Amino acid sequence: MIPAQFDYEVAGSVDEAIGLLAEGGADAKLLAGGHSLLPLMKLRFAAPSLLVDIGKIADLRGVQTGGDSFTIGAATRHADLQERDDMGLIATAAKQIADQQVRNRGTIGGSLANGDAAADLPGVLLALEGSVVVRGADGERVIEAADLFQGYLTTAVAPGEVLTEVRIPALTDYGYGYEKFNRRSEDWAMVGVCALVKATDGVCEDVRIGLTHMASTPLRASAAEDALRGKPLTEENIEAAAALAAQGTSPLGDLNATPEYKSHLARVLTKRALTTASAA
Ligand SMILES: Cc1cc2nc3c(=O)[nH]c(=O)nc-3n(C[C@H](O)[C@H](O)[C@H](O)COP(=O)(O)OP(=O)(O)OC[C@H]3O[C@@H](n4cnc5c(N)ncnc54)[C@H](O)[C@@H]3O)c2cc1C
């Protein structure tokens, strides 16, 4: 439980962090809340030679509201998001991350850059069709959520780049629901499902469903979405769509659940999340 030896630098700005990462080479890593990286280091699954702490860069914290969108600084903590009544789905999901101690330290940028298959916010970003901004020695680029998550703990954020902000649409005309199944309330998701539904006169105009822990990356439940779009939001139609939620997924079995049980959970939780989102 003791990490390998490492150097530690505090960055005063994003540019300084990029410079320190470049000097540190391939084994340098950013440190934000530390609640994913430090456990890995203590278990010696990660042994960076240099940690560049970005937790004190004020520019990386806070939420800016632009009417129909939000821009969230990468070092904004889950605890800050969970209090935002105006941020709907993302606030609801943030509230369900672990316990208050973890939420007081963990950041949205750390969660999205880390790309853990069981994490709550990646599936939410995917369903919201948000994006992230990353900056490196070669400048800035925007990565759409659909391109961000590439494999287990692998994202499109390159070594040497800093994820600086997260952009999400407000989607005020969508109802939303978030369902997470775990053994204890503060655990990681065995399976998680978020749903966004836009309805006109009781008919589903648009629907987006994000699945957590149903593959090595978050996924959209596309077959279920296609089945519900354009249909009246009746219990039968929601149930029929939810029955397709596990199509195209490849959940891994683990200590908590077999792939079959995870598929069952995806169907049940999708029905619940769609029902909540449709009632809003
Ligand atoms: C007991 C426990 C329970 C947890 N349960 C849950 C849960 O139920 N749901 C959930 O979603 N999460 C859970 N987490 C994880 C928690 O949400 C983490 O805080 C989060 O995943 C990572 O954020 P962080 O700021 O701590 O990142 P760090 O641990 O500091 O960093 C994680 C990785 O991302 C990189 N990184 C960090 N910030 C940036 C950036 N701005 N740009 C580029 N790379 C960056 C780091 O170099 C590192 O590789 C849990 C953690 C613990 C310890």
Side-chain angles (χ1 to χ4, degrees), residues 29-39 54 74 78 96-98 102 105-107 109-111 113-114 118-121 157 161-163 180 186-189:
K29 272 208 163 288
L30 293 174
L31 178 73
H35 271 46
S36 287
L37 183 54
L38 295 183
I54 55 171
H78 307 321
Q96 296 189 41
I97 295 174
V102 172
R105 298 292 309 170
T107 67
S111 177
N114 198 42
D120 294 271
L121 298 180
V157 182
E161 284 183 326
V162 181
L163 194 161
K180 174 174 177 174
E186 68 273 18
D187 276 351
W188 295 85

Side-chain angles (χ1 to χ4, degrees), residues 29-30 36 108-119 121-123 125-126 132-134 141 143-164 216-218:
K29 272 208 163 288
L30 293 174
S36 287
I108 185 169
S111 177
L112 297 175
N114 198 42
D116 193 312
L121 298 180
L125 188 77
L126 196 63
V132 299
V133 179
V134 297
R141 64 195 179 106
I143 307 173
E144 299 299 327
D147 302 321
L148 180 60
F149 308 105
Q150 300 193 331
Y152 189 69
L153 293 178
T154 308
T155 64
V157 182
E161 284 183 326
V162 181
L163 194 161
T164 55
S216 59
T217 63

Side-chain angles (χ1 to χ4, degrees), residues 31-229:
L31 178 73
H35 271 46
S36 287
L37 183 54
L38 295 183
L40 288 179
M41 288 171 62
K42 286 182 172 182
L43 292 167
R44 304 256 176 150
F45 289 140
S49 53
L50 168 68
L51 288 187
V52 178
D53 191 340
I54 55 171
K56 294 183 174 58
I57 304 177
D59 292 354
L60 286 182
R61 279 190 76 176
V63 179
Q64 289 178 331
T65 311
D68 58 356
S69 66
F70 294 101
T71 301
I72 308 166
T76 305
R77 296 183 178 154
H78 307 321
D80 301 321
L81 296 176
Q82 77 182 64
E83 302 301 337
R84 297 283 306 225
D85 291 339
D86 56 338
M87 293 186 76
L89 178 58
I90 208 149
T92 302
K95 243 176 241 164
Q96 296 189 41
I97 295 174
D99 51 41
Q100 195 60 50
Q101 277 175 302
V102 172
R103 296 195 292 271
N104 284 343
R105 298 292 309 170
T107 67
I108 185 169
S111 177
L112 297 175
N114 198 42
D116 193 312
D120 294 271
L121 298 180
V124 169
L125 188 77
L126 196 63
L128 286 168
E129 297 181 359
S131 59
V132 299
V133 179
V134 297
R135 205 191 306 168
D138 296 331
E140 200 165 78
R141 64 195 179 106
V142 176
I143 307 173
E144 299 299 327
D147 302 321
L148 180 60
F149 308 105
Q150 300 193 331
Y152 189 69
L153 293 178
T154 308
T155 64
V157 182
E161 284 183 326
V162 181
L163 194 161
T164 55
E165 62 187 46
V166 182
R167 296 174 179 171
I168 56 166
L171 298 187
T172 47
D173 47 355
Y174 284 66
Y176 61 88
Y178 189 73
E179 295 287 335
K180 174 174 177 174
F181 192 84
N182 43 21
R183 282 181 195 273
R184 299 171 305 172
S185 60
E186 68 273 18
D187 276 351
W188 295 85
M190 224 180 272
V191 172
V193 176
C194 63
L196 289 149
V197 173
K198 183 178 181 183
T200 307
D201 299 329
V203 173
C204 176
E205 200 179 310
D206 189 29
V207 55
R208 301 160 181 203
I209 303 166
L211 301 175
T212 294
H213 220 184
M214 288 299 291
S216 59
T217 63
L219 297 174
R220 290 280 288 269
S222 308
E225 292 177 358
D226 292 345
L228 194 58
R229 204 173 283 113

